[in-house]
Amino acid sequence: MSYATLIRQIEAGEGLGFVDARALGAALLDGGVPELETDAFLVAFNQHDPGLDAWLGMHAALAERLPDFVAPTGPFRTVCCLPITACVRSRISRRCWRCC
């Protein structure tokens, strides 16, 4: 798979196929694409739509790498309060610029 060829395809408006996009997404997520080509892909994706097959291929590559989250059975669900707690603590100390 030549990254330059894939970049040219996106720039020309031809789009990517499912298999090419899945392989590209896997390489991007695994860190197998050099920084310059990664930047070129991001610019190409921003300027041109690679097509539905490409987005589905990228989604497939991402779905392979994410864990399956299962909701706990029972009447209660676990809630993560760490970001909220950190914000409340920083608000008290007047150091929170992100959410205040």
Side-chain angles (χ1 to χ4, degrees):
M1 170 175 55
S2 169
Y3 300 128
T5 305
L6 294 177
I7 293 169
R8 283 190 204 111
Q9 274 185 322
I10 297 169
E11 288 288 331
E14 296 173 12
L16 295 176
F18 180 83
V19 176
D20 288 337
R22 184 175 174 192
L24 172 64
L28 285 170
L29 292 171
D30 293 339
V33 181
E35 289 184 24
L36 187 61
E37 282 84 358
T38 300
D39 294 341
F41 278 118
L42 293 176
V43 168
F45 283 156
N46 190 26
Q47 293 177 351
H48 304 282
D49 184 23
L52 180 61
D53 287 339
W55 290 119
L56 292 175
M58 295 287 258
H59 179 269
L62 181 63
E64 291 172 358
R65 283 151 182 78
L66 289 178
D68 292 331
F69 294 107
V70 179
T73 58
F76 302 105
R77 293 187 181 199
T78 306
V79 178
C80 178
C81 297
L82 293 178
I84 296 170
T85 306
C87 182
V88 169
R89 285 184 185 169
S90 61
R91 241 187 185 172
I92 291 171
S93 64
R94 305 277 184 207
R95 285 189 242 157
C96 183
W97 293 286
R98 287 177 282 154
C99 62
C100 303

